Amino acid sequence: MALLDFLKKRSGGEDEMSFIDHLEVLRWHLIRSVIAVVICAIAVFMFSNFFVDDIIFGPTRPDFISVKWLCSMGQKMGIDGLCLKVEPKFQETTMTGQFIASFTVAFVGGFILAFPYIFWEIWRFVKPALSDKERKGTSGIIFWVSVLFFLGVAFGYFILTPLMVSFYFNYKLSEQIQIIPTFSDYLENVIYTTVGIGVLFQLPLLVLLLAKSGILTGTVLKKYRRHAFVVILIAAAIITPTTDPFSLAVVTAPLYILFEVSVALASKIERKNKLENPEEWS
């Protein structure tokens, strides 16, 4: 029923468009999004050597900016494991490994670059179903979604990836064991710690949407603030490969800040609703 209500709102309150018509509109939004990803992917593929050598492998070099910063912080705090003592080497165990990886790099890079446009296309599909008041309340959403996504990608790339590389290449069961992982394995982890964190950083906007829908309130979030902190701490411990308190704090801090921003946004919406509809909150 919610889907039917949404489609009815898209058609201006009257059932002028059939369900198939709405799907046709959505299909073209998706097609244009895919075209944008392909165009960006082609651009990345044309400079694939640069993206692999300087971007993908950047966090694996001791002279990388955030690797040096983490090492300096680790030395001051007596945490030797934050320093990358060797420059890792990677291998491929299949003939097609590098060929397939080049397409993976291209399309993931294309998705990251095209993300603002992809969301804009999705927003264009959703926007007709909103009232004038709702549209005004969501002004600038494309900008903020894009900013949060790129902040998450940057955090995953500059902080989480170097931490991951430093930990796994410094961890040894025996000196006779030589660590030479496959490039595909490393690339998969980089994707998880960049794109995945970029999506995770959308938490404040998700909470804002739920608050505007009346599903979630700032009061509820404040009530379970301690529980949320524990969940964030556990999530940070899972994301963080190292076991030292510094690395855990580095990952926990931005996630908890995102939660507090979410609380503030939900509380603002709740106060606004109480002023506009006092009888519903009495």
Side-chain angles (χ1 to χ4, degrees), residues 222-273:
K222 290 177 182 178
K223 180 180 179 181
Y224 293 100
R225 180 180 267 127
R226 293 181 180 178
H227 302 79
F229 179 76
V230 173
V231 171
I232 290 171
L233 199 61
I234 294 172
I238 294 172
I239 294 172
T240 310
T242 59
T243 56
D244 60 272
F246 173 73
S247 301
L248 186 62
V250 166
V251 178
T252 302
L255 295 180
Y256 188 72
I257 290 172
L258 285 174
F259 174 76
E260 288 297 335
V261 170
S262 302
V263 172
L265 290 172
S267 298
K268 182 179 179 181
I269 297 298
E270 184 179 359
R271 288 194 299 270
K272 185 177 180 181
N273 290 338

Tab-separated table of all heavy atoms in Angstrom, residues 222-273:
chain	number	residue	atom	x	y	z
A	222	LYS	N	18.218	9.371	22.230
A	222	LYS	CA	18.882	9.778	23.469
A	222	LYS	C	18.739	8.708	24.547
A	222	LYS	O	19.655	8.463	25.331
A	222	LYS	CB	18.291	11.098	23.964
A	222	LYS	CG	18.646	12.294	23.099
A	222	LYS	CD	17.955	13.554	23.614
A	222	LYS	CE	18.269	14.740	22.720
A	222	LYS	NZ	17.561	15.969	23.164
A	223	LYS	N	17.573	8.068	24.592
A	223	LYS	CA	17.315	7.033	25.582
A	223	LYS	C	18.278	5.866	25.425
A	223	LYS	O	18.734	5.274	26.415
A	223	LYS	CB	15.873	6.546	25.451
A	223	LYS	CG	15.492	5.455	26.444
A	223	LYS	CD	14.034	5.024	26.252
A	223	LYS	CE	13.655	3.909	27.222
A	223	LYS	NZ	12.246	3.476	27.019
A	224	TYR	N	18.593	5.537	24.152
A	224	TYR	CA	19.468	4.390	23.886
A	224	TYR	C	20.873	4.830	23.468
A	224	TYR	O	21.562	4.105	22.753
A	224	TYR	CB	18.847	3.505	22.806
A	224	TYR	CG	17.563	2.833	23.246
A	224	TYR	CD1	16.320	3.335	22.871
A	224	TYR	CD2	17.600	1.698	24.060
A	224	TYR	CE1	15.143	2.727	23.288
A	224	TYR	CE2	16.442	1.084	24.486
A	224	TYR	CZ	15.207	1.607	24.092
A	224	TYR	OH	14.052	0.996	24.512
A	225	ARG	N	21.298	6.001	23.934
A	225	ARG	CA	22.621	6.513	23.576
A	225	ARG	C	23.734	5.584	24.055
A	225	ARG	O	24.675	5.294	23.315
A	225	ARG	CB	22.807	7.915	24.165
A	225	ARG	CG	24.152	8.518	23.838
A	225	ARG	CD	24.290	9.889	24.439
A	225	ARG	NE	23.887	10.933	23.511
A	225	ARG	CZ	23.006	11.881	23.779
A	225	ARG	NH1	22.390	11.897	24.951
A	225	ARG	NH2	22.730	12.815	22.890
A	226	ARG	N	23.611	5.098	25.292
A	226	ARG	CA	24.650	4.205	25.822
A	226	ARG	C	24.701	2.898	25.044
A	226	ARG	O	25.782	2.368	24.774
A	226	ARG	CB	24.389	3.924	27.301
A	226	ARG	CG	24.550	5.152	28.211
A	226	ARG	CD	24.300	4.782	29.649
A	226	ARG	NE	24.438	5.936	30.541
A	226	ARG	CZ	24.243	5.905	31.847
A	226	ARG	NH1	23.886	4.755	32.437
A	226	ARG	NH2	24.393	6.989	32.573
A	227	HIS	N	23.528	2.383	24.714
A	227	HIS	CA	23.481	1.153	23.929
A	227	HIS	C	24.118	1.364	22.552
A	227	HIS	O	24.842	0.510	22.048
A	227	HIS	CB	22.030	0.688	23.768
A	227	HIS	CG	21.312	0.449	25.065
A	227	HIS	ND1	20.808	1.487	25.814
A	227	HIS	CD2	21.022	-0.699	25.738
A	227	HIS	CE1	20.230	0.996	26.907
A	227	HIS	NE2	20.340	-0.324	26.879
A	228	ALA	N	23.832	2.540	21.972
A	228	ALA	CA	24.384	2.855	20.658
A	228	ALA	C	25.902	2.940	20.720
A	228	ALA	O	26.597	2.476	19.798
A	228	ALA	CB	23.814	4.177	20.150
A	229	PHE	N	26.422	3.508	21.802
A	229	PHE	CA	27.879	3.617	21.944
A	229	PHE	C	28.528	2.235	21.998
A	229	PHE	O	29.580	2.002	21.392
A	229	PHE	CB	28.239	4.409	23.203
A	229	PHE	CG	29.715	4.540	23.427
A	229	PHE	CD1	30.463	5.425	22.663
A	229	PHE	CD2	30.362	3.761	24.381
A	229	PHE	CE1	31.835	5.543	22.851
A	229	PHE	CE2	31.728	3.871	24.580
A	229	PHE	CZ	32.468	4.766	23.810
A	230	VAL	N	27.894	1.315	22.725
A	230	VAL	CA	28.417	-0.053	22.814
A	230	VAL	C	28.398	-0.716	21.440
A	230	VAL	O	29.377	-1.373	21.037
A	230	VAL	CB	27.606	-0.889	23.828
A	230	VAL	CG1	28.053	-2.349	23.790
A	230	VAL	CG2	27.768	-0.328	25.233
A	231	VAL	N	27.296	-0.534	20.703
A	231	VAL	CA	27.193	-1.114	19.359
A	231	VAL	C	28.260	-0.523	18.442
A	231	VAL	O	28.910	-1.252	17.677
A	231	VAL	CB	25.784	-0.859	18.774
A	231	VAL	CG1	25.734	-1.265	17.298
A	231	VAL	CG2	24.737	-1.626	19.564
A	232	ILE	N	28.456	0.800	18.516
A	232	ILE	CA	29.482	1.456	17.706
A	232	ILE	C	30.869	0.951	18.078
A	232	ILE	O	31.717	0.713	17.205
A	232	ILE	CB	29.400	2.989	17.882
A	232	ILE	CG1	28.128	3.519	17.224
A	232	ILE	CG2	30.629	3.676	17.307
A	232	ILE	CD1	27.849	4.982	17.526
A	233	LEU	N	31.106	0.764	19.361
A	233	LEU	CA	32.403	0.265	19.829
A	233	LEU	C	32.661	-1.145	19.292
A	233	LEU	O	33.774	-1.462	18.844
A	233	LEU	CB	32.437	0.261	21.356
A	233	LEU	CG	33.815	0.198	22.025
A	233	LEU	CD1	34.648	1.409	21.637
A	233	LEU	CD2	33.666	0.130	23.537
A	234	ILE	N	31.636	-1.983	19.313
A	234	ILE	CA	31.771	-3.351	18.788
A	234	ILE	C	32.010	-3.314	17.279
A	234	ILE	O	32.876	-4.033	16.754
A	234	ILE	CB	30.518	-4.182	19.118
A	234	ILE	CG1	30.398	-4.392	20.636
A	234	ILE	CG2	30.554	-5.527	18.393
A	234	ILE	CD1	29.099	-5.045	21.069
A	235	ALA	N	31.245	-2.455	16.590
A	235	ALA	CA	31.414	-2.330	15.135
A	235	ALA	C	32.811	-1.832	14.795
A	235	ALA	O	33.449	-2.332	13.858
A	235	ALA	CB	30.372	-1.375	14.574
A	236	ALA	N	33.314	-0.870	15.568
A	236	ALA	CA	34.659	-0.339	15.337
A	236	ALA	C	35.715	-1.411	15.581
A	236	ALA	O	36.718	-1.496	14.858
A	236	ALA	CB	34.913	0.868	16.237
A	237	ALA	N	35.489	-2.241	16.608
A	237	ALA	CA	36.429	-3.325	16.899
A	237	ALA	C	36.462	-4.348	15.767
A	237	ALA	O	37.511	-4.920	15.456
A	237	ALA	CB	36.047	-4.007	18.206
A	238	ILE	N	35.306	-4.560	15.130
A	238	ILE	CA	35.250	-5.499	13.997
A	238	ILE	C	35.926	-4.892	12.770
A	238	ILE	O	36.685	-5.572	12.063
A	238	ILE	CB	33.787	-5.853	13.670
A	238	ILE	CG1	33.169	-6.630	14.836
A	238	ILE	CG2	33.696	-6.673	12.383
A	238	ILE	CD1	31.674	-6.867	14.698
A	239	ILE	N	35.672	-3.603	12.532
A	239	ILE	CA	36.255	-2.934	11.368
A	239	ILE	C	37.753	-2.787	11.514
A	239	ILE	O	38.506	-2.973	10.551
A	239	ILE	CB	35.611	-1.538	11.184
A	239	ILE	CG1	34.128	-1.687	10.826
A	239	ILE	CG2	36.328	-0.752	10.101
A	239	ILE	CD1	33.367	-0.371	10.821
A	240	THR	N	38.207	-2.466	12.741
A	240	THR	CA	39.624	-2.214	12.980
A	240	THR	C	40.389	-3.525	13.101
A	240	THR	O	40.100	-4.337	13.978
A	240	THR	CB	39.821	-1.413	14.288
A	240	THR	OG1	38.950	-0.291	14.269
A	240	THR	CG2	41.251	-0.944	14.417
A	241	PRO	N	41.397	-3.741	12.256
A	241	PRO	CA	42.146	-4.986	12.328
A	241	PRO	C	43.099	-5.046	13.517
A	241	PRO	O	43.400	-6.108	14.026
A	241	PRO	CB	42.938	-4.991	11.010
A	241	PRO	CG	43.057	-3.558	10.632
A	241	PRO	CD	41.808	-2.897	11.131
A	242	THR	N	43.606	-3.877	13.974
A	242	THR	CA	44.552	-3.875	15.080
A	242	THR	C	43.824	-3.962	16.413
A	242	THR	O	42.619	-3.767	16.492
A	242	THR	CB	45.407	-2.585	15.043
A	242	THR	OG1	44.541	-1.465	15.121
A	242	THR	CG2	46.207	-2.502	13.764
A	243	THR	N	44.584	-4.218	17.470
A	243	THR	CA	43.986	-4.404	18.803
A	243	THR	C	44.351	-3.288	19.782
A	243	THR	O	43.953	-3.340	20.937
A	243	THR	CB	44.451	-5.754	19.395
A	243	THR	OG1	45.888	-5.786	19.425
A	243	THR	CG2	43.936	-6.921	18.563
A	244	ASP	N	45.125	-2.282	19.335
A	244	ASP	CA	45.536	-1.226	20.252
A	244	ASP	C	44.423	-0.197	20.428
A	244	ASP	O	43.596	0.017	19.532
A	244	ASP	CB	46.811	-0.534	19.725
A	244	ASP	CG	46.594	0.085	18.356
A	244	ASP	OD1	46.784	-0.636	17.349
A	244	ASP	OD2	46.218	1.260	18.293
A	245	PRO	N	44.383	0.464	21.587
A	245	PRO	CA	43.325	1.441	21.888
A	245	PRO	C	43.309	2.623	20.923
A	245	PRO	O	42.253	3.168	20.632
A	245	PRO	CB	43.655	1.893	23.315
A	245	PRO	CG	44.488	0.801	23.888
A	245	PRO	CD	45.260	0.243	22.747
A	246	PHE	N	44.486	3.048	20.444
A	246	PHE	CA	44.552	4.202	19.551
A	246	PHE	C	43.779	3.944	18.261
A	246	PHE	O	42.968	4.774	17.830
A	246	PHE	CB	46.011	4.537	19.225
A	246	PHE	CG	46.168	5.612	18.189
A	246	PHE	CD1	45.897	6.941	18.490
A	246	PHE	CD2	46.562	5.290	16.895
A	246	PHE	CE1	46.030	7.936	17.530
A	246	PHE	CE2	46.695	6.277	15.932
A	246	PHE	CZ	46.442	7.597	16.245
A	247	SER	N	44.024	2.812	17.625
A	247	SER	CA	43.342	2.480	16.373
A	247	SER	C	41.839	2.362	16.597
A	247	SER	O	41.034	2.811	15.771
A	247	SER	CB	43.887	1.170	15.803
A	247	SER	OG	45.273	1.267	15.564
A	248	LEU	N	41.463	1.760	17.725
A	248	LEU	CA	40.046	1.619	18.050
A	248	LEU	C	39.393	2.984	18.224
A	248	LEU	O	38.277	3.215	17.747
A	248	LEU	CB	39.889	0.792	19.327
A	248	LEU	CG	38.462	0.413	19.736
A	248	LEU	CD1	37.808	-0.463	18.671
A	248	LEU	CD2	38.470	-0.308	21.080
A	249	ALA	N	40.107	3.902	18.876
A	249	ALA	CA	39.567	5.251	19.090
A	249	ALA	C	39.450	6.013	17.775
A	249	ALA	O	38.479	6.753	17.562
A	249	ALA	CB	40.469	6.024	20.054
A	250	VAL	N	40.424	5.829	16.882
A	250	VAL	CA	40.414	6.512	15.589
A	250	VAL	C	39.181	6.133	14.780
A	250	VAL	O	38.583	6.966	14.091
A	250	VAL	CB	41.694	6.191	14.795
A	250	VAL	CG1	41.554	6.600	13.332
A	250	VAL	CG2	42.885	6.904	15.412
A	251	VAL	N	38.778	4.867	14.865
A	251	VAL	CA	37.612	4.389	14.114
A	251	VAL	C	36.315	4.719	14.849
A	251	VAL	O	35.307	5.075	14.231
A	251	VAL	CB	37.718	2.865	13.866
A	251	VAL	CG1	36.487	2.360	13.128
A	251	VAL	CG2	38.970	2.542	13.067
A	252	THR	N	36.330	4.609	16.184
A	252	THR	CA	35.120	4.844	16.976
A	252	THR	C	34.671	6.303	16.923
A	252	THR	O	33.470	6.586	16.821
A	252	THR	CB	35.350	4.435	18.446
A	252	THR	OG1	35.729	3.064	18.501
A	252	THR	CG2	34.088	4.637	19.268
A	253	ALA	N	35.625	7.220	16.992
A	253	ALA	CA	35.308	8.652	17.082
A	253	ALA	C	34.400	9.144	15.953
A	253	ALA	O	33.344	9.734	16.226
A	253	ALA	CB	36.598	9.474	17.144
A	254	PRO	N	34.757	8.950	14.673
A	254	PRO	CA	33.871	9.470	13.616
A	254	PRO	C	32.508	8.789	13.583
A	254	PRO	O	31.496	9.434	13.273
A	254	PRO	CB	34.654	9.207	12.320
A	254	PRO	CG	35.622	8.152	12.664
A	254	PRO	CD	35.972	8.355	14.098
A	255	LEU	N	32.466	7.498	13.915
A	255	LEU	CA	31.186	6.787	13.929
A	255	LEU	C	30.284	7.335	15.025
A	255	LEU	O	29.071	7.516	14.820
A	255	LEU	CB	31.409	5.282	14.129
A	255	LEU	CG	32.148	4.543	13.008
A	255	LEU	CD1	32.299	3.071	13.355
A	255	LEU	CD2	31.414	4.692	11.679
A	256	TYR	N	30.863	7.627	16.184
A	256	TYR	CA	30.053	8.173	17.276
A	256	TYR	C	29.634	9.612	16.978
A	256	TYR	O	28.528	10.034	17.332
A	256	TYR	CB	30.815	8.115	18.599
A	256	TYR	CG	29.942	8.498	19.774
A	256	TYR	CD1	28.949	7.636	20.229
A	256	TYR	CD2	30.084	9.733	20.396
A	256	TYR	CE1	28.117	7.997	21.282
A	256	TYR	CE2	29.272	10.094	21.454
A	256	TYR	CZ	28.285	9.224	21.891
A	256	TYR	OH	27.461	9.592	22.931
A	257	ILE	N	30.514	10.376	16.320
A	257	ILE	CA	30.152	11.743	15.920
A	257	ILE	C	28.968	11.709	14.968
A	257	ILE	O	28.036	12.518	15.069
A	257	ILE	CB	31.365	12.447	15.270
A	257	ILE	CG1	32.430	12.744	16.333
A	257	ILE	CG2	30.934	13.735	14.580
A	257	ILE	CD1	33.731	13.268	15.772
A	258	LEU	N	28.973	10.748	14.043
A	258	LEU	CA	27.845	10.589	13.119
A	258	LEU	C	26.564	10.297	13.884
A	258	LEU	O	25.487	10.809	13.548
A	258	LEU	CB	28.133	9.461	12.130
A	258	LEU	CG	29.136	9.757	11.010
A	258	LEU	CD1	29.400	8.488	10.213
A	258	LEU	CD2	28.635	10.862	10.096
A	259	PHE	N	26.672	9.470	14.924
A	259	PHE	CA	25.492	9.155	15.738
A	259	PHE	C	24.975	10.400	16.442
A	259	PHE	O	23.764	10.646	16.465
A	259	PHE	CB	25.828	8.069	16.761
A	259	PHE	CG	24.706	7.802	17.735
A	259	PHE	CD1	23.598	7.069	17.357
A	259	PHE	CD2	24.759	8.311	19.030
A	259	PHE	CE1	22.556	6.837	18.242
A	259	PHE	CE2	23.735	8.084	19.926
A	259	PHE	CZ	22.624	7.337	19.534
A	260	GLU	N	25.873	11.196	17.006
A	260	GLU	CA	25.454	12.409	17.711
A	260	GLU	C	24.830	13.419	16.749
A	260	GLU	O	23.878	14.115	17.107
A	260	GLU	CB	26.642	13.034	18.449
A	260	GLU	CG	27.086	12.254	19.677
A	260	GLU	CD	26.015	12.180	20.752
A	260	GLU	OE1	25.145	13.077	20.800
A	260	GLU	OE2	26.033	11.242	21.555
A	261	VAL	N	25.367	13.496	15.544
A	261	VAL	CA	24.753	14.355	14.520
A	261	VAL	C	23.349	13.859	14.213
A	261	VAL	O	22.409	14.658	14.051
A	261	VAL	CB	25.619	14.374	13.237
A	261	VAL	CG1	24.877	15.069	12.094
A	261	VAL	CG2	26.946	15.074	13.498
A	262	SER	N	23.200	12.547	14.148
A	262	SER	CA	21.884	11.952	13.900
A	262	SER	C	20.911	12.298	15.025
A	262	SER	O	19.738	12.605	14.772
A	262	SER	CB	22.014	10.432	13.769
A	262	SER	OG	22.892	10.078	12.728
A	263	VAL	N	21.374	12.237	16.264
A	263	VAL	CA	20.544	12.588	17.426
A	263	VAL	C	20.095	14.044	17.332
A	263	VAL	O	18.924	14.366	17.565
A	263	VAL	CB	21.311	12.345	18.741
A	263	VAL	CG1	20.516	12.893	19.932
A	263	VAL	CG2	21.582	10.859	18.940
A	264	ALA	N	21.032	14.922	16.980
A	264	ALA	CA	20.718	16.342	16.872
A	264	ALA	C	19.675	16.604	15.784
A	264	ALA	O	18.741	17.389	15.977
A	264	ALA	CB	21.990	17.140	16.593
A	265	LEU	N	19.834	15.944	14.648
A	265	LEU	CA	18.887	16.119	13.545
A	265	LEU	C	17.500	15.609	13.927
A	265	LEU	O	16.488	16.274	13.675
A	265	LEU	CB	19.388	15.385	12.295
A	265	LEU	CG	20.616	15.989	11.604
A	265	LEU	CD1	21.104	15.056	10.503
A	265	LEU	CD2	20.296	17.358	11.030
A	266	ALA	N	17.454	14.414	14.535
A	266	ALA	CA	16.167	13.840	14.939
A	266	ALA	C	15.495	14.690	16.008
A	266	ALA	O	14.269	14.874	15.992
A	266	ALA	CB	16.374	12.412	15.447
A	267	SER	N	16.274	15.230	16.929
A	267	SER	CA	15.715	16.086	17.991
A	267	SER	C	15.155	17.378	17.410
A	267	SER	O	14.108	17.869	17.851
A	267	SER	CB	16.796	16.403	19.031
A	267	SER	OG	17.263	15.216	19.646
A	268	LYS	N	15.840	17.929	16.422
A	268	LYS	CA	15.372	19.150	15.775
A	268	LYS	C	14.027	18.914	15.084
A	268	LYS	O	13.104	19.731	15.195
A	268	LYS	CB	16.412	19.628	14.760
A	268	LYS	CG	16.038	20.930	14.072
A	268	LYS	CD	17.120	21.355	13.100
A	268	LYS	CE	16.727	22.654	12.390
A	268	LYS	NZ	17.779	23.084	11.414
A	269	ILE	N	13.925	17.779	14.376
A	269	ILE	CA	12.671	17.434	13.700
A	269	ILE	C	11.563	17.211	14.731
A	269	ILE	O	10.413	17.649	14.546
A	269	ILE	CB	12.847	16.170	12.841
A	269	ILE	CG1	13.866	16.417	11.729
A	269	ILE	CG2	11.514	15.722	12.245
A	269	ILE	CD1	13.470	17.493	10.755
A	270	GLU	N	11.887	16.574	15.854
A	270	GLU	CA	10.893	16.310	16.900
A	270	GLU	C	10.376	17.610	17.507
A	270	GLU	O	9.160	17.774	17.701
A	270	GLU	CB	11.516	15.431	17.981
A	270	GLU	CG	10.540	15.009	19.064
A	270	GLU	CD	11.169	14.113	20.111
A	270	GLU	OE1	12.378	13.800	19.985
A	270	GLU	OE2	10.466	13.731	21.062
A	271	ARG	N	11.278	18.545	17.783
A	271	ARG	CA	10.855	19.844	18.342
A	271	ARG	C	9.970	20.596	17.360
A	271	ARG	O	8.968	21.210	17.744
A	271	ARG	CB	12.085	20.682	18.706
A	271	ARG	CG	12.848	20.193	19.920
A	271	ARG	CD	13.828	21.245	20.405
A	271	ARG	NE	14.824	21.562	19.387
A	271	ARG	CZ	15.985	20.930	19.252
A	271	ARG	NH1	16.308	19.950	20.097
A	271	ARG	NH2	16.834	21.285	18.318
A	272	LYS	N	10.340	20.529	16.097
A	272	LYS	CA	9.554	21.214	15.061
A	272	LYS	C	8.155	20.613	14.953
A	272	LYS	O	7.160	21.336	14.833
A	272	LYS	CB	10.284	21.106	13.721
A	272	LYS	CG	9.632	21.881	12.596
A	272	LYS	CD	10.458	21.780	11.325
A	272	LYS	CE	9.794	22.557	10.193
A	272	LYS	NZ	10.582	22.444	8.926
A	273	ASN	N	8.067	19.283	15.031
A	273	ASN	CA	6.760	18.614	14.968
A	273	ASN	C	5.894	18.942	16.174
A	273	ASN	O	4.668	19.084	16.057
A	273	ASN	CB	6.952	17.100	14.856
A	273	ASN	CG	7.511	16.683	13.505
A	273	ASN	OD1	7.380	17.414	12.523
A	273	ASN	ND2	8.138	15.515	13.452
